[in-house]
PDB file of all heavy atoms in Angstrom:
ATOM      1  N   VAL R   1     -24.354   0.214  32.767  1.00  0.00           N
ATOM      2  CA  VAL R   1     -23.205  -0.688  32.607  1.00  0.00           C
ATOM      3  C   VAL R   1     -22.336  -0.435  31.381  1.00  0.00           C
ATOM      4  O   VAL R   1     -21.277  -1.050  31.259  1.00  0.00           O
ATOM      5  CB  VAL R   1     -23.673  -2.169  32.585  1.00  0.00           C
ATOM      6  CG1 VAL R   1     -24.307  -2.551  33.910  1.00  0.00           C
ATOM      7  CG2 VAL R   1     -24.623  -2.434  31.426  1.00  0.00           C
ATOM      8  N   ALA R   2     -22.736   0.441  30.469  1.00  0.00           N
ATOM      9  CA  ALA R   2     -21.936   0.627  29.249  1.00  0.00           C
ATOM     10  C   ALA R   2     -20.501   1.023  29.580  1.00  0.00           C
ATOM     11  O   ALA R   2     -19.537   0.515  28.985  1.00  0.00           O
ATOM     12  CB  ALA R   2     -22.579   1.679  28.342  1.00  0.00           C
ATOM     13  N   HIS R   3     -20.338   1.931  30.537  1.00  0.00           N
ATOM     14  CA  HIS R   3     -19.001   2.446  30.840  1.00  0.00           C
ATOM     15  C   HIS R   3     -18.107   1.434  31.548  1.00  0.00           C
ATOM     16  O   HIS R   3     -16.880   1.573  31.528  1.00  0.00           O
ATOM     17  CB  HIS R   3     -19.108   3.700  31.703  1.00  0.00           C
ATOM     18  CG  HIS R   3     -19.763   4.849  31.008  1.00  0.00           C
ATOM     19  ND1 HIS R   3     -21.139   5.011  30.970  1.00  0.00           N
ATOM     20  CD2 HIS R   3     -19.243   5.879  30.311  1.00  0.00           C
ATOM     21  CE1 HIS R   3     -21.425   6.096  30.283  1.00  0.00           C
ATOM     22  NE2 HIS R   3     -20.300   6.648  29.874  1.00  0.00           N
ATOM     23  N   THR R   4     -18.704   0.430  32.168  1.00  0.00           N
ATOM     24  CA  THR R   4     -17.916  -0.429  33.058  1.00  0.00           C
ATOM     25  C   THR R   4     -16.943  -1.341  32.324  1.00  0.00           C
ATOM     26  O   THR R   4     -15.938  -1.761  32.892  1.00  0.00           O
ATOM     27  CB  THR R   4     -18.849  -1.293  33.935  1.00  0.00           C
ATOM     28  OG1 THR R   4     -18.083  -1.939  34.936  1.00  0.00           O
ATOM     29  CG2 THR R   4     -19.575  -2.348  33.109  1.00  0.00           C
ATOM     30  N   SER R   5     -17.203  -1.660  31.048  1.00  0.00           N
ATOM     31  CA  SER R   5     -16.384  -2.648  30.340  1.00  0.00           C
ATOM     32  C   SER R   5     -15.575  -2.017  29.214  1.00  0.00           C
ATOM     33  O   SER R   5     -16.080  -1.184  28.455  1.00  0.00           O
ATOM     34  CB  SER R   5     -17.266  -3.764  29.765  1.00  0.00           C
ATOM     35  OG  SER R   5     -17.921  -4.467  30.805  1.00  0.00           O
ATOM     36  N   VAL R   6     -14.326  -2.452  29.125  1.00  0.00           N
ATOM     37  CA  VAL R   6     -13.417  -2.020  28.060  1.00  0.00           C
ATOM     38  C   VAL R   6     -12.816  -3.266  27.432  1.00  0.00           C
ATOM     39  O   VAL R   6     -12.292  -4.132  28.150  1.00  0.00           O
ATOM     40  CB  VAL R   6     -12.284  -1.126  28.605  1.00  0.00           C
ATOM     41  CG1 VAL R   6     -11.389  -0.642  27.465  1.00  0.00           C
ATOM     42  CG2 VAL R   6     -12.844   0.056  29.386  1.00  0.00           C
ATOM     43  N   LEU R   7     -12.900  -3.368  26.112  1.00  0.00           N
ATOM     44  CA  LEU R   7     -12.245  -4.471  25.405  1.00  0.00           C
ATOM     45  C   LEU R   7     -10.831  -4.037  25.039  1.00  0.00           C
ATOM     46  O   LEU R   7     -10.650  -3.067  24.306  1.00  0.00           O
ATOM     47  CB  LEU R   7     -13.028  -4.844  24.140  1.00  0.00           C
ATOM     48  CG  LEU R   7     -12.357  -5.895  23.255  1.00  0.00           C
ATOM     49  CD1 LEU R   7     -12.332  -7.255  23.946  1.00  0.00           C
ATOM     50  CD2 LEU R   7     -13.060  -5.995  21.906  1.00  0.00           C
ATOM     51  N   LEU R   8      -9.834  -4.724  25.580  1.00  0.00           N
ATOM     52  CA  LEU R   8      -8.437  -4.440  25.265  1.00  0.00           C
ATOM     53  C   LEU R   8      -7.915  -5.495  24.293  1.00  0.00           C
ATOM     54  O   LEU R   8      -8.171  -6.690  24.462  1.00  0.00           O
ATOM     55  CB  LEU R   8      -7.583  -4.446  26.538  1.00  0.00           C
ATOM     56  CG  LEU R   8      -7.948  -3.426  27.621  1.00  0.00           C
ATOM     57  CD1 LEU R   8      -7.010  -3.575  28.804  1.00  0.00           C
ATOM     58  CD2 LEU R   8      -7.914  -2.005  27.081  1.00  0.00           C
ATOM     59  N   PHE R   9      -7.185  -5.035  23.273  1.00  0.00           N
ATOM     60  CA  PHE R   9      -6.602  -5.989  22.325  1.00  0.00           C
ATOM     61  C   PHE R   9      -5.295  -5.415  21.775  1.00  0.00           C
ATOM     62  O   PHE R   9      -5.032  -4.206  21.870  1.00  0.00           O
ATOM     63  CB  PHE R   9      -7.579  -6.308  21.184  1.00  0.00           C
ATOM     64  CG  PHE R   9      -8.013  -5.112  20.380  1.00  0.00           C
ATOM     65  CD1 PHE R   9      -7.276  -4.681  19.289  1.00  0.00           C
ATOM     66  CD2 PHE R   9      -9.173  -4.431  20.703  1.00  0.00           C
ATOM     67  CE1 PHE R   9      -7.677  -3.593  18.535  1.00  0.00           C
ATOM     68  CE2 PHE R   9      -9.591  -3.325  19.968  1.00  0.00           C
ATOM     69  CZ  PHE R   9      -8.834  -2.915  18.875  1.00  0.00           C
ATOM     70  N   ASN R  10      -4.487  -6.298  21.209  1.00  0.00           N
ATOM     71  CA  ASN R  10      -3.212  -5.895  20.642  1.00  0.00           C
ATOM     72  C   ASN R  10      -3.272  -5.953  19.120  1.00  0.00           C
ATOM     73  O   ASN R  10      -4.089  -6.668  18.530  1.00  0.00           O
ATOM     74  CB  ASN R  10      -2.065  -6.762  21.175  1.00  0.00           C
ATOM     75  CG  ASN R  10      -2.324  -8.251  21.004  1.00  0.00           C
ATOM     76  OD1 ASN R  10      -3.456  -8.714  21.098  1.00  0.00           O
ATOM     77  ND2 ASN R  10      -1.269  -9.012  20.778  1.00  0.00           N
ATOM     78  N   ILE R  11      -2.405  -5.173  18.495  1.00  0.00           N
ATOM     79  CA  ILE R  11      -2.304  -5.144  17.033  1.00  0.00           C
ATOM     80  C   ILE R  11      -1.212  -6.122  16.607  1.00  0.00           C
ATOM     81  O   ILE R  11      -0.100  -6.108  17.150  1.00  0.00           O
ATOM     82  CB  ILE R  11      -1.982  -3.725  16.533  1.00  0.00           C
ATOM     83  CG1 ILE R  11      -3.123  -2.766  16.891  1.00  0.00           C
ATOM     84  CG2 ILE R  11      -1.747  -3.729  15.023  1.00  0.00           C
ATOM     85  CD1 ILE R  11      -4.465  -3.116  16.270  1.00  0.00           C
ATOM     86  N   LEU R  12      -1.528  -6.958  15.635  1.00  0.00           N
ATOM     87  CA  LEU R  12      -0.608  -8.008  15.200  1.00  0.00           C
ATOM     88  C   LEU R  12       0.240  -7.598  14.009  1.00  0.00           C
ATOM     89  O   LEU R  12       1.404  -7.980  13.907  1.00  0.00           O
ATOM     90  CB  LEU R  12      -1.399  -9.277  14.856  1.00  0.00           C
ATOM     91  CG  LEU R  12      -2.294  -9.822  15.972  1.00  0.00           C
ATOM     92  CD1 LEU R  12      -3.102 -11.002  15.454  1.00  0.00           C
ATOM     93  CD2 LEU R  12      -1.467 -10.212  17.185  1.00  0.00           C
ATOM     94  N   ASP R  13      -0.342  -6.822  13.109  1.00  0.00           N
ATOM     95  CA  ASP R  13       0.374  -6.470  11.883  1.00  0.00           C
ATOM     96  C   ASP R  13      -0.338  -5.298  11.214  1.00  0.00           C
ATOM     97  O   ASP R  13      -1.461  -4.930  11.613  1.00  0.00           O
ATOM     98  CB  ASP R  13       0.432  -7.663  10.933  1.00  0.00           C
ATOM     99  CG  ASP R  13       1.598  -7.577   9.942  1.00  0.00           C
ATOM    100  OD1 ASP R  13       2.289  -6.537   9.930  1.00  0.00           O
ATOM    101  OD2 ASP R  13       1.792  -8.536   9.175  1.00  0.00           O
ATOM    102  N   VAL R  14       0.295  -4.729  10.205  1.00  0.00           N
ATOM    103  CA  VAL R  14      -0.266  -3.589   9.489  1.00  0.00           C
ATOM    104  C   VAL R  14      -0.084  -3.811   7.989  1.00  0.00           C
ATOM    105  O   VAL R  14       0.970  -4.269   7.544  1.00  0.00           O
ATOM    106  CB  VAL R  14       0.428  -2.261   9.878  1.00  0.00           C
ATOM    107  CG1 VAL R  14      -0.163  -1.100   9.092  1.00  0.00           C
ATOM    108  CG2 VAL R  14       0.299  -2.003  11.360  1.00  0.00           C
ATOM    109  N   SER R  15      -1.124  -3.502   7.230  1.00  0.00           N
ATOM    110  CA  SER R  15      -1.034  -3.491   5.773  1.00  0.00           C
ATOM    111  C   SER R  15      -1.197  -2.049   5.310  1.00  0.00           C
ATOM    112  O   SER R  15      -2.173  -1.392   5.673  1.00  0.00           O
ATOM    113  CB  SER R  15      -2.124  -4.368   5.153  1.00  0.00           C
ATOM    114  OG  SER R  15      -2.085  -4.296   3.747  1.00  0.00           O
ATOM    115  N   ARG R  16      -0.239  -1.556   4.547  1.00  0.00           N
ATOM    116  CA  ARG R  16      -0.257  -0.159   4.126  1.00  0.00           C
ATOM    117  C   ARG R  16      -0.399  -0.055   2.609  1.00  0.00           C
ATOM    118  O   ARG R  16       0.228  -0.801   1.860  1.00  0.00           O
ATOM    119  CB  ARG R  16       1.015   0.562   4.569  1.00  0.00           C
ATOM    120  CG  ARG R  16       1.100   0.746   6.073  1.00  0.00           C
ATOM    121  CD  ARG R  16       2.360   1.487   6.449  1.00  0.00           C
ATOM    122  NE  ARG R  16       2.394   1.769   7.873  1.00  0.00           N
ATOM    123  CZ  ARG R  16       3.451   2.264   8.501  1.00  0.00           C
ATOM    124  NH1 ARG R  16       4.552   2.521   7.819  1.00  0.00           N
ATOM    125  NH2 ARG R  16       3.393   2.500   9.800  1.00  0.00           N
ATOM    126  N   PHE R  17      -1.192   0.903   2.195  1.00  0.00           N
ATOM    127  CA  PHE R  17      -1.332   1.188   0.770  1.00  0.00           C
ATOM    128  C   PHE R  17      -0.287   2.238   0.410  1.00  0.00           C
ATOM    129  O   PHE R  17      -0.595   3.376   0.077  1.00  0.00           O
ATOM    130  CB  PHE R  17      -2.750   1.654   0.468  1.00  0.00           C
ATOM    131  CG  PHE R  17      -3.777   0.566   0.593  1.00  0.00           C
ATOM    132  CD1 PHE R  17      -4.312   0.240   1.833  1.00  0.00           C
ATOM    133  CD2 PHE R  17      -4.158  -0.172  -0.510  1.00  0.00           C
ATOM    134  CE1 PHE R  17      -5.236  -0.782   1.963  1.00  0.00           C
ATOM    135  CE2 PHE R  17      -5.080  -1.196  -0.398  1.00  0.00           C
ATOM    136  CZ  PHE R  17      -5.620  -1.508   0.851  1.00  0.00           C
ATOM    137  N   MET R  18       0.981   1.799   0.513  1.00  0.00           N
ATOM    138  CA  MET R  18       2.112   2.675   0.268  1.00  0.00           C
ATOM    139  C   MET R  18       3.105   1.951  -0.633  1.00  0.00           C
ATOM    140  O   MET R  18       3.148   0.718  -0.666  1.00  0.00           O
ATOM    141  CB  MET R  18       2.814   3.048   1.582  1.00  0.00           C
ATOM    142  CG  MET R  18       1.972   3.887   2.528  1.00  0.00           C
ATOM    143  SD  MET R  18       2.933   4.388   3.973  1.00  0.00           S
ATOM    144  CE  MET R  18       4.141   5.492   3.221  1.00  0.00           C
ATOM    145  N   PRO R  19       3.926   2.695  -1.328  1.00  0.00           N
ATOM    146  CA  PRO R  19       4.968   2.029  -2.128  1.00  0.00           C
ATOM    147  C   PRO R  19       5.942   1.308  -1.216  1.00  0.00           C
ATOM    148  O   PRO R  19       6.243   1.759  -0.107  1.00  0.00           O
ATOM    149  CB  PRO R  19       5.648   3.204  -2.854  1.00  0.00           C
ATOM    150  CG  PRO R  19       5.341   4.414  -2.022  1.00  0.00           C
ATOM    151  CD  PRO R  19       3.986   4.168  -1.443  1.00  0.00           C
ATOM    152  N   THR R  20       6.438   0.165  -1.676  1.00  0.00           N
ATOM    153  CA  THR R  20       7.383  -0.593  -0.858  1.00  0.00           C
ATOM    154  C   THR R  20       8.760   0.055  -0.852  1.00  0.00           C
ATOM    155  O   THR R  20       9.558  -0.193   0.053  1.00  0.00           O
ATOM    156  CB  THR R  20       7.504  -2.031  -1.390  1.00  0.00           C
ATOM    157  OG1 THR R  20       7.878  -1.985  -2.778  1.00  0.00           O
ATOM    158  CG2 THR R  20       6.173  -2.761  -1.242  1.00  0.00           C
ATOM    159  N   HIS R  21       9.018   0.893  -1.844  1.00  0.00           N
ATOM    160  CA  HIS R  21      10.303   1.594  -1.921  1.00  0.00           C
ATOM    161  C   HIS R  21      10.127   2.817  -2.818  1.00  0.00           C
ATOM    162  O   HIS R  21       9.146   2.943  -3.558  1.00  0.00           O
ATOM    163  CB  HIS R  21      11.399   0.675  -2.480  1.00  0.00           C
ATOM    164  CG  HIS R  21      11.043   0.070  -3.813  1.00  0.00           C
ATOM    165  ND1 HIS R  21      10.327  -1.101  -3.913  1.00  0.00           N
ATOM    166  CD2 HIS R  21      11.294   0.481  -5.083  1.00  0.00           C
ATOM    167  CE1 HIS R  21      10.139  -1.403  -5.189  1.00  0.00           C
ATOM    168  NE2 HIS R  21      10.713  -0.446  -5.931  1.00  0.00           N
ATOM    169  N   GLU R  22      11.059   3.731  -2.727  1.00  0.00           N
ATOM    170  CA  GLU R  22      11.023   4.936  -3.558  1.00  0.00           C
ATOM    171  C   GLU R  22      11.160   4.536  -5.030  1.00  0.00           C
ATOM    172  O   GLU R  22      12.094   3.822  -5.423  1.00  0.00           O
ATOM    173  CB  GLU R  22      12.175   5.870  -3.175  1.00  0.00           C
ATOM    174  CG  GLU R  22      12.138   7.234  -3.848  1.00  0.00           C
ATOM    175  CD  GLU R  22      11.010   8.107  -3.340  1.00  0.00           C
ATOM    176  OE1 GLU R  22      10.530   7.873  -2.211  1.00  0.00           O
ATOM    177  OE2 GLU R  22      10.608   9.027  -4.081  1.00  0.00           O
ATOM    178  N   PRO R  23      10.210   4.965  -5.875  1.00  0.00           N
ATOM    179  CA  PRO R  23      10.266   4.565  -7.288  1.00  0.00           C
ATOM    180  C   PRO R  23      11.530   5.080  -7.986  1.00  0.00           C
ATOM    181  O   PRO R  23      11.996   6.195  -7.726  1.00  0.00           O
ATOM    182  CB  PRO R  23       9.015   5.220  -7.886  1.00  0.00           C
ATOM    183  CG  PRO R  23       8.101   5.429  -6.731  1.00  0.00           C
ATOM    184  CD  PRO R  23       8.995   5.721  -5.567  1.00  0.00           C
ATOM    185  N   GLN R  24      12.067   4.241  -8.854  1.00  0.00           N
ATOM    186  CA  GLN R  24      13.216   4.608  -9.693  1.00  0.00           C
ATOM    187  C   GLN R  24      12.782   4.655 -11.152  1.00  0.00           C
ATOM    188  O   GLN R  24      11.791   4.040 -11.536  1.00  0.00           O
ATOM    189  CB  GLN R  24      14.337   3.576  -9.517  1.00  0.00           C
ATOM    190  CG  GLN R  24      14.802   3.406  -8.083  1.00  0.00           C
ATOM    191  CD  GLN R  24      15.445   4.666  -7.532  1.00  0.00           C
ATOM    192  OE1 GLN R  24      16.218   5.331  -8.239  1.00  0.00           O
ATOM    193  NE2 GLN R  24      15.121   5.012  -6.288  1.00  0.00           N
ATOM    194  N   ALA R  25      13.531   5.393 -11.949  1.00  0.00           N
ATOM    195  CA  ALA R  25      13.178   5.539 -13.366  1.00  0.00           C
ATOM    196  C   ALA R  25      13.203   4.175 -14.062  1.00  0.00           C
ATOM    197  O   ALA R  25      14.078   3.344 -13.782  1.00  0.00           O
ATOM    198  CB  ALA R  25      14.145   6.488 -14.047  1.00  0.00           C
ATOM    199  N   PRO R  26      12.258   3.911 -14.975  1.00  0.00           N
ATOM    200  CA  PRO R  26      12.238   2.635 -15.704  1.00  0.00           C
ATOM    201  C   PRO R  26      13.293   2.620 -16.809  1.00  0.00           C
ATOM    202  O   PRO R  26      13.939   3.635 -17.095  1.00  0.00           O
ATOM    203  CB  PRO R  26      10.828   2.614 -16.295  1.00  0.00           C
ATOM    204  CG  PRO R  26      10.486   4.060 -16.493  1.00  0.00           C
ATOM    205  CD  PRO R  26      11.150   4.799 -15.371  1.00  0.00           C
ATOM    206  N   GLU R  27      13.448   1.470 -17.412  1.00  0.00           N
ATOM    207  CA  GLU R  27      14.335   1.347 -18.561  1.00  0.00           C
ATOM    208  C   GLU R  27      13.696   2.019 -19.777  1.00  0.00           C
ATOM    209  O   GLU R  27      12.472   2.012 -19.931  1.00  0.00           O
ATOM    210  CB  GLU R  27      14.609  -0.128 -18.862  1.00  0.00           C
ATOM    211  CG  GLU R  27      15.240  -0.907 -17.709  1.00  0.00           C
ATOM    212  CD  GLU R  27      16.649  -0.433 -17.391  1.00  0.00           C
ATOM    213  OE1 GLU R  27      17.319   0.078 -18.325  1.00  0.00           O
ATOM    214  OE2 GLU R  27      17.060  -0.547 -16.218  1.00  0.00           O
ATOM    215  N   GLU R  28      14.513   2.594 -20.634  1.00  0.00           N
ATOM    216  CA  GLU R  28      13.981   3.328 -21.792  1.00  0.00           C
ATOM    217  C   GLU R  28      13.190   2.424 -22.729  1.00  0.00           C
ATOM    218  O   GLU R  28      12.264   2.877 -23.406  1.00  0.00           O
ATOM    219  CB  GLU R  28      15.134   3.986 -22.573  1.00  0.00           C
ATOM    220  CG  GLU R  28      15.780   5.139 -21.827  1.00  0.00           C
ATOM    221  CD  GLU R  28      16.840   5.823 -22.675  1.00  0.00           C
ATOM    222  OE1 GLU R  28      16.990   5.432 -23.863  1.00  0.00           O
ATOM    223  OE2 GLU R  28      17.506   6.731 -22.162  1.00  0.00           O
ATOM    224  N   GLU R  29      13.538   1.132 -22.745  1.00  0.00           N
ATOM    225  CA  GLU R  29      12.854   0.217 -23.655  1.00  0.00           C
ATOM    226  C   GLU R  29      11.570  -0.355 -23.068  1.00  0.00           C
ATOM    227  O   GLU R  29      10.901  -1.163 -23.729  1.00  0.00           O
ATOM    228  CB  GLU R  29      13.789  -0.930 -24.052  1.00  0.00           C
ATOM    229  CG  GLU R  29      14.238  -1.823 -22.918  1.00  0.00           C
ATOM    230  CD  GLU R  29      15.507  -1.299 -22.222  1.00  0.00           C
ATOM    231  OE1 GLU R  29      15.847  -0.108 -22.432  1.00  0.00           O
ATOM    232  OE2 GLU R  29      16.135  -2.077 -21.497  1.00  0.00           O
ATOM    233  N   ASP R  30      11.196   0.049 -21.852  1.00  0.00           N
ATOM    234  CA  ASP R  30       9.968  -0.458 -21.241  1.00  0.00           C
ATOM    235  C   ASP R  30       8.743  -0.036 -22.036  1.00  0.00           C
ATOM    236  O   ASP R  30       8.770   0.919 -22.827  1.00  0.00           O
ATOM    237  CB  ASP R  30       9.855   0.042 -19.798  1.00  0.00           C
ATOM    238  CG  ASP R  30      10.534  -0.892 -18.801  1.00  0.00           C
ATOM    239  OD1 ASP R  30      10.614  -2.093 -19.092  1.00  0.00           O
ATOM    240  OD2 ASP R  30      10.998  -0.409 -17.754  1.00  0.00           O
ATOM    241  N   ASN R  31       7.637  -0.739 -21.772  1.00  0.00           N
ATOM    242  CA  ASN R  31       6.361  -0.438 -22.419  1.00  0.00           C
ATOM    243  C   ASN R  31       5.955   1.018 -22.166  1.00  0.00           C
ATOM    244  O   ASN R  31       6.261   1.595 -21.122  1.00  0.00           O
ATOM    245  CB  ASN R  31       5.300  -1.385 -21.859  1.00  0.00           C
ATOM    246  CG  ASN R  31       3.973  -1.280 -22.567  1.00  0.00           C
ATOM    247  OD1 ASN R  31       3.223  -0.342 -22.323  1.00  0.00           O
ATOM    248  ND2 ASN R  31       3.690  -2.244 -23.439  1.00  0.00           N
ATOM    249  N   ASP R  32       5.243   1.620 -23.136  1.00  0.00           N
ATOM    250  CA  ASP R  32       4.836   3.021 -23.007  1.00  0.00           C
ATOM    251  C   ASP R  32       4.020   3.272 -21.740  1.00  0.00           C
ATOM    252  O   ASP R  32       4.124   4.340 -21.120  1.00  0.00           O
ATOM    253  CB  ASP R  32       4.006   3.439 -24.222  1.00  0.00           C
ATOM    254  CG  ASP R  32       4.870   3.655 -25.466  1.00  0.00           C
ATOM    255  OD1 ASP R  32       6.105   3.717 -25.307  1.00  0.00           O
ATOM    256  OD2 ASP R  32       4.300   3.761 -26.568  1.00  0.00           O
ATOM    257  N   ALA R  33       3.181   2.312 -21.347  1.00  0.00           N
ATOM    258  CA  ALA R  33       2.368   2.482 -20.137  1.00  0.00           C
ATOM    259  C   ALA R  33       3.261   2.622 -18.911  1.00  0.00           C
ATOM    260  O   ALA R  33       2.972   3.412 -17.998  1.00  0.00           O
ATOM    261  CB  ALA R  33       1.404   1.306 -19.962  1.00  0.00           C
ATOM    262  N   ILE R  34       4.353   1.864 -18.862  1.00  0.00           N
ATOM    263  CA  ILE R  34       5.312   1.951 -17.759  1.00  0.00           C
ATOM    264  C   ILE R  34       5.972   3.320 -17.763  1.00  0.00           C
ATOM    265  O   ILE R  34       6.110   3.981 -16.721  1.00  0.00           O
ATOM    266  CB  ILE R  34       6.378   0.844 -17.867  1.00  0.00           C
ATOM    267  CG1 ILE R  34       5.729  -0.551 -17.810  1.00  0.00           C
ATOM    268  CG2 ILE R  34       7.442   1.010 -16.794  1.00  0.00           C
ATOM    269  CD1 ILE R  34       5.221  -0.941 -16.464  1.00  0.00           C
ATOM    270  N   LEU R  35       6.409   3.775 -18.925  1.00  0.00           N
ATOM    271  CA  LEU R  35       7.065   5.087 -19.037  1.00  0.00           C
ATOM    272  C   LEU R  35       6.108   6.218 -18.668  1.00  0.00           C
ATOM    273  O   LEU R  35       6.494   7.181 -18.000  1.00  0.00           O
ATOM    274  CB  LEU R  35       7.586   5.287 -20.467  1.00  0.00           C
ATOM    275  CG  LEU R  35       8.629   4.269 -20.951  1.00  0.00           C
ATOM    276  CD1 LEU R  35       8.940   4.494 -22.423  1.00  0.00           C
ATOM    277  CD2 LEU R  35       9.903   4.374 -20.113  1.00  0.00           C
ATOM    278  N   ASN R  36       4.849   6.083 -19.046  1.00  0.00           N
ATOM    279  CA  ASN R  36       3.875   7.150 -18.782  1.00  0.00           C
ATOM    280  C   ASN R  36       3.524   7.254 -17.296  1.00  0.00           C
ATOM    281  O   ASN R  36       3.323   8.361 -16.773  1.00  0.00           O
ATOM    282  CB  ASN R  36       2.608   6.903 -19.599  1.00  0.00           C
ATOM    283  CG  ASN R  36       2.815   7.184 -21.076  1.00  0.00           C
ATOM    284  OD1 ASN R  36       3.684   7.964 -21.461  1.00  0.00           O
ATOM    285  ND2 ASN R  36       2.023   6.522 -21.927  1.00  0.00           N
ATOM    286  N   ILE R  37       3.448   6.119 -16.605  1.00  0.00           N
ATOM    287  CA  ILE R  37       3.118   6.196 -15.176  1.00  0.00           C
ATOM    288  C   ILE R  37       4.277   6.814 -14.394  1.00  0.00           C
ATOM    289  O   ILE R  37       4.079   7.502 -13.393  1.00  0.00           O
ATOM    290  CB  ILE R  37       2.716   4.808 -14.618  1.00  0.00           C
ATOM    291  CG1 ILE R  37       1.871   4.986 -13.336  1.00  0.00           C
ATOM    292  CG2 ILE R  37       3.923   3.933 -14.330  1.00  0.00           C
ATOM    293  CD1 ILE R  37       1.190   3.716 -12.873  1.00  0.00           C
TER     294      ILE R  37
END
């Protein structure tokens, strides 16, 4: 009976470990940690 059953479901949403937008250069007066990253 293993083959006889298939569970079908839909995808509701996605969470991505990606930047939300293309990074832009920081302000020159920002903290050193910001400038270094």
Side-chain angles (χ1 to χ4, degrees):
V1 297
H3 295 85
T4 190
S5 297
V6 182
L7 174 68
L8 299 180
F9 59 88
N10 53 326
I11 297 299
L12 304 175
D13 203 354
V14 179
S15 177
R16 291 181 175 172
F17 290 83
M18 294 185 67
T20 56
H21 55 273
E22 187 70 23
Q24 303 295 318
E27 301 294 332
E28 290 184 4
E29 63 272 16
D30 271 332
N31 187 283
D32 285 347
I34 299 288
L35 299 174
N36 287 335
I37 202 168

